[in-house]
Amino acid sequence: AAAQAVLPARTAELLILGAGPDARAFAAAVASGAAGARPAKITLSSIDAKDLAEVRKRLTGDGQALPVEIRHVENAGEHDRLLALMPPGSAIVSAHDDPTASPVGAAALFPHQSTVCDLLAPLGASRLLAEAARPRAASELVIHDSTPYRTERAFAILHKMFGAEASDRQEAALRKAIEKHLAN
């Protein structure tokens, strides 16, 4: 549900910047079809070789590999190159552990009519979203901060903890309460 809140159903390609637990979970949700969006290509890219090894282990651990391309990059400039190669209507998702360090360089060229999201940082704290804000209107970008992802993640955790079935109205009230809590 968290990926559904962020990705449009018609996402051409998906580039995930980062390889930590949130990046792995997001990639797995999209690759398995649980997100609703079915991008032609999913790429998970990071400078952290250890995290990428964990990605490879987790996404192929049950004997069936999910269709995720894993890319090891040396610096943010290489992420810029990956961005420039993406077609219009793609999604760029940051699951970078340090929101103050931009996962892209100053030459970031976001594909036209794409979605840019930071799963872990609020709007004012994400360098990726700050980079995307400049060409937002000209490139027709849709920008999401961490609110939809963190809300759905918290909702899923609470649902697993308590296991009770709730009505649509009760679920909406719980999501609203979670958003309010996360905003503070």
Side-chain angles (χ1 to χ4, degrees), residues 7 10-16 26-27 30-31 37-45 66-71 81-93:
L7 294 181
R10 293 185 178 176
T11 300
E13 291 185 11
L14 171 62
L15 173 61
I16 301 171
F26 198 85
V30 176
R38 295 244 184 228
K41 182 178 175 184
I42 302 169
T43 304
L44 202 142
S45 176
L66 291 174
V68 176
E69 180 181 330
I70 299 169
R71 300 289 301 249
R81 186 178 51 77
L82 291 173
L83 277 174
L85 296 172
M86 295 184 72
S90 292
I92 298 89
V93 175

Side-chain angles (χ1 to χ4, degrees), residues 45-134:
S45 176
S46 178
I47 61 170
D48 190 329
K50 182 180 174 188
D51 278 351
L52 288 171
E54 188 69 21
V55 167
R56 188 174 312 281
K57 179 177 133 187
R58 301 242 180 207
L59 294 184
T60 60
D62 61 357
Q64 261 190 327
L66 291 174
V68 176
E69 180 181 330
I70 299 169
R71 300 289 301 249
H72 182 254
V73 296
E74 298 283 329
N75 57 47
E78 290 184 54
H79 279 149
D80 291 348
R81 186 178 51 77
L82 291 173
L83 277 174
L85 296 172
M86 295 184 72
S90 292
I92 298 89
V93 175
S94 176
H96 199 263
D97 295 335
D98 182 4
T100 60
S102 181
V104 296
L109 178 61
F110 295 93
H112 189 69
Q113 295 180 331
S114 291
T115 300
V116 181
C117 175
D118 193 318
L119 296 182
L120 305 175
L123 194 57
S126 171
R127 296 244 340 253
L128 175 72
L129 298 183
E131 290 292 329
R134 283 186 257 148

